[in-house]
Amino acid sequence: MKIGNVPYRSVWVDQQDGWSVHIFDQTRLPWELDILRLTERDQVARAIVTMQVRGAPLIGAVAAYGLALALRADAGDAAMERDAALLAGTRPTAINLRWAIERMLARLRPLPAAERVAAAYDEAGWICDEDAAQNEAIGRHGLRLIQEIAARRGADGVVNILTHCNAGWIATVDWGTALAPIYMAHDAGLKVHVWVDETRPRNQGASLTAWELGSHGVPHTVVADNAGGHLMQHGMVDMVIVGTDRVTRSGDVANKIGTYLKALAAHDNDVPFWVALPSTTIDWRVQDGLAEIPIEERGGAEVTTITGRTADGRIETVQLTPPGSGAANPAFDVTPARLVTGLITERGCCDASQDGLAGLFPEQA
Ligand SMILES: CSC[C@H]1O[C@H](OP(=O)(O)O)[C@H](O)[C@@H]1O
């Protein structure tokens, strides 16, 4: 996507040196556009753990390049397995991390050490190109859903869409998942407006989704996480589109904490609740999301503090809670398939069910 008039992806290899890896420091957005140059494994691991880079497909892609950087230091079998395991273990919920590292190892294990660095950069590049293409396809399939609502609205109608967290282009290599259909609808001239859940505690909605949509000229309104149900009760939401970090083969959806509550409100108000994902986010090995998907527990400081910009332009973190108050910080929750209207994938839309997914991905059935 573009920042100003400059096209960007969320991760890229330095064109000058041909091996260092660039990402945006997402903890500085929307206030500063800081580009980080990653040169070694531990920098990549730290960037994923601290959420300088985040978003399920993107952390998979960046971890893939992290393995390529690690191999530059040591391409031997033991080092490669050690470094792969370390990168795969940086965050537990997004399945893309495991998927990307397993795909890299499948390419690299059969090779002699001397050939691994070049092959690693090649495979990581394919992972990025495929993610961008898959998300563009998600955009096209999701666009049809928005067009159907717009057609019912008539020429002056605005389609109001609520989204949670950030599943935009900055959460993927390009295009995004939940936001891809919204970008395409806007670019096609449809009138769309987005209710942007702030998404406490890390505020990916207020800081990243709002930044993305504003940069692209998409009308949007930031709302407190607790406002979504009220908006749906008053007919102000035509559909919900969210991203995901892991979908089970039965259609259960793990996504940013608070997604389940939005799905409950949508179900109670007959608002279509759609989940957008590339197939790399499907964990075909698990059936029951609530029982089997590991939920990341992050530090309490993300709840007890908040970061923003002061009136004189400084980025500061301030304490929200009294000293001594404890905080719990589960970073994801699981929405049961029964609350999901459907899944928007690169191969089309389907029911959030084993049959629905098998219909689009028969090779996995
Ligand atoms: C396109 S995947 C985006 C997905 O990832 C986010 O989690 P995090 O910001 O912790 O990486 C969130 O769950 C989004 O829906």
Side-chain angles (χ1 to χ4, degrees), residues 26 48 51 53-59 91 93-94 96 131 135 163-172 176-179 199 202 204 208 242-246 254-257 259 276-278 281 296 298 331-333:
Q26 297 192 33
I48 295 171
M51 295 175 65
V53 63
R54 33 71 48 202
L58 183 56
I59 61 180
R91 294 186 74 191
T93 304
N96 306 66
D131 183 62
N135 298 332
T163 193
H164 190 70
C165 199
N166 171 257
W169 72 270
I170 202 84
T172 67
T177 56
L179 296 192
T199 316
R202 292 289 301 237
Q204 289 95 321
L208 300 175
V242 298
T244 176
D245 296 77
R246 191 183 309 210
N255 196 46
K256 185 53 53 193
I257 193 77
T259 303
L277 68 143
T281 307
E296 181 182 15
R298 294 187 64 87
F332 299 94
D333 58 26

Side-chain angles (χ1 to χ4, degrees), residues 67-81:
L67 188 54
L69 290 170
L71 291 170
R72 285 173 49 86
D74 185 342
D77 292 350
M80 180 174 73
E81 299 297 335

